[in-house]
Amino acid sequence: MPILDDELYMWRCLHLAQIGKGHTAPNPMVGSVVVCDGRVLGESWHTQYGKAHAEREAIARISPADLPLLPRATIYVNLEPCAHYGKTPPCADYIIECGIRRVVVACTDPFAQVAGRGIARLQQAGIEVITGVLEREAQWLNRRFMVFQQYRRPYIILKWAQTADGYFAPTDASQRWISNPDTQVLCHRWRSEEAAVMVATRTAQADNPQLNVRHWQGGKMPVRIAIDRRYTLPSHLHLLDGTQPTLIFGEQGFEPSHPHLSKPHPLRYISLTPAPDLLPQIWQQLYDLQLQSVLVEGGANLLNQLIANHVWDEARVFTAPTRWHEGIPAPLLPPQQAQLIQQQYLGDNLYSHYINTTFHPKATTAFLE
C-alpha cells in the first residue's frame, strides 16, 4: 500500500484517538482503522479507561460479511498494540487470532510491559509491521502518557494570567481578576482534561479557588492539590469542602487542623519528609497514584520554582490589556527553552501557548489545545 495511503489512515487514527481525551487516562488515547482495498471495514477509539482498546473496538465494528477480508486487510493504530494482560487481554494476540497480516503503527509504547513486545509478537507471527508513520504527531498527541512513562512524573502544565505591564497578582494579597470570562471558560475546560490541578498556600488563602469545572458543563472534575507545608489552611476554604477529591501536601511534624475525617472521604492529607523543595516527593506521590497530568495555577513562587528547575512541559499564558504599574511580577519563561507554538486573542486577552523544548524537541502544532 502506498506511503501516502498509510499516512491518510493514520491521520484518521489520530483524530479518532483524540475523541477519548479526558476519559482514557492513565491509558493513552488510541484510535484504530481496519482497511481493505481502499475501503474502511471498521474503525473506533479507546473510549474510556477500563473499556475495550481501540483495536478490538474497530474489529468489532466490521460487518459479518466483511470478516473474510481480514487476511487481506491492514489495521492502523497510533500506538503499538499491547502485549500484556491488564484491564483487557493483549491486543497483539487478538490481531493475530483475527488473521490480519499487515499492521501499521505510528509509535512504540514506552510502558514497560509493552515497550516493543507488541510489535515483536506480531512479527514473530509472520505479520508485516510498518512503524513510524506520523510518529511525531502520535507522540505529541499522547505527550502526557509519554512523559509519565519516560520520566516517572506527571505531565506539568503551567497556567497564569498577567497584566500588559507584566504583573501577576497584587502585593496586598487581595483578589483582582486579570482574565476575562472567555478565558475562564477555557480554563475550566482545561481542568476537565487533566488529572489534577495544583495551587500553593498563598493562592489558596488569597483567592480561595474552587478548582472545579463549573463553567464547563459535563466536564470531569480534576483532583485538587494544595501545598500547605505547616497545614495552616483554614477550614472554611473551598479546597477543604469535601466536594471533590483533594490532596493536601504538608511536612511531617505538623498536624492538620481538622484531620479526623470519616472514611471514605475525598480530602486526604499527605505528610512528606521536610525538605527545602517538596516537589520531587509530590511528583513521586502523584506518579504512585497514577495521576498522569497536573495543571499548575499558582502562585508565582511555585510557578517560578518549576521554571527555575526546568520541570515543566507546557505554559499557557493570558495577557490582559490592563496595567497595574505595581504588583507581584509574572513568571518569565527562559527563551532558550520556551518555544511559542500558538497565539490568539480571546476577547481582549492574548493567549500564548509555549512548550518546553527540553522534553519536547519535536513538538507539532497538529493537535493544539
Side-chain angles (χ1 to χ4, degrees), residues 15-309:
H15 286 289
L16 288 168
Q18 196 170 217
I19 300 173
K21 186 173 185 179
H23 301 284
T24 64
N27 283 354
M29 293 175 281
V30 183
S32 183
V33 181
V34 183
V35 179
C36 183
D37 298 331
R39 182 166 65 89
V40 173
L41 305 182
E43 62 179 21
S44 192
W45 62 93
H46 184 34
T47 59
Q48 188 173 342
Y49 175 68
K51 293 190 176 181
H53 288 186
E55 300 95 315
R56 287 180 175 271
E57 284 291 307
I59 294 170
R61 295 190 180 192
I62 298 174
S63 71
D66 286 334
L67 289 176
L69 298 176
L70 284 179
R72 294 197 293 113
T74 297
I75 186 168
Y76 295 85
V77 60
N78 59 288
L79 190 70
E80 175 184 6
C82 63
H84 68 292
Y85 282 87
K87 295 284 186 180
T88 60
C91 290
D93 289 353
Y94 187 63
I95 291 171
I96 295 170
E97 292 169 11
C98 290
I100 297 172
R101 308 305 300 164
R102 185 172 187 267
V103 180
V104 179
V105 177
C107 64
T108 56
D109 188 336
F111 182 50
Q113 294 187 52
V114 184
R117 291 180 178 87
I119 290 172
R121 189 171 297 182
L122 294 170
Q123 291 174 329
Q124 289 165 6
I127 295 173
E128 178 188 5
V129 181
I130 308 297
T131 61
V133 177
L134 299 185
E135 180 178 27
R136 186 178 73 165
E137 289 79 3
Q139 290 175 337
W140 178 246
L141 177 65
N142 274 313
R143 56 197 181 276
R144 294 163 180 81
F145 177 78
M146 298 292 179
V147 164
F148 191 73
Q149 298 299 331
Q150 292 171 1
Y151 300 106
R152 297 179 64 86
R153 66 163 174 82
Y155 188 87
I156 299 168
I157 303 170
L158 313 181
K159 191 274 290 184
W160 72 86
Q162 62 188 25
T163 64
D165 51 356
Y167 292 106
F168 175 87
T171 55
D172 60 4
S174 62
Q175 187 180 51
R176 294 172 63 185
W177 286 105
I178 297 176
S179 57
N180 61 35
D182 292 335
T183 64
Q184 291 173 26
V185 171
L186 179 58
C187 289
H188 284 224
R189 193 198 87 186
W190 288 343
R191 289 175 183 172
S192 76
E193 295 170 348
E194 308 306 332
V197 56
M198 174 187 283
V199 295
T201 309
R202 186 182 182 279
T203 299
Q205 291 176 328
D207 296 348
N208 190 17
Q210 297 181 57
L211 301 185
N212 58 24
V213 295
R214 61 193 181 278
H215 295 315
W216 188 250
Q217 188 173 5
K220 177 179 64 68
M221 290 290 187
V223 174
R224 300 183 296 195
I225 298 172
I227 303 173
D228 184 22
R229 283 179 175 268
R230 302 192 174 190
Y231 296 123
T232 58
L233 292 177
S235 60
H236 70 270
L237 295 180
H238 293 305
L239 280 173
L240 308 181
D241 61 14
T243 57
Q244 66 196 80
T246 304
L247 304 176
I248 308 296
F249 287 102
E251 289 185 356
Q252 296 173 0
F254 296 95
E255 290 294 328
S257 56
H258 44 94
H260 303 294
L261 304 172
S262 60
K263 301 221 180 256
H265 195 283
L267 177 61
R268 179 181 173 190
Y269 292 92
I270 301 177
S271 295
L272 307 172
T273 303
D277 184 1
L278 294 180
L279 290 173
Q281 295 182 69
I282 292 175
W283 303 144
Q284 183 61 53
Q285 290 282 339
L286 299 186
Y287 179 84
D288 292 342
L289 292 168
Q290 293 289 291
L291 295 176
Q292 198 176 90
S293 61
V294 58
L295 179 65
V296 181
E297 298 198 15
N301 288 339
L302 175 57
L303 292 165
N304 281 322
Q305 183 179 355
L306 291 167
I307 293 169
N309 291 330

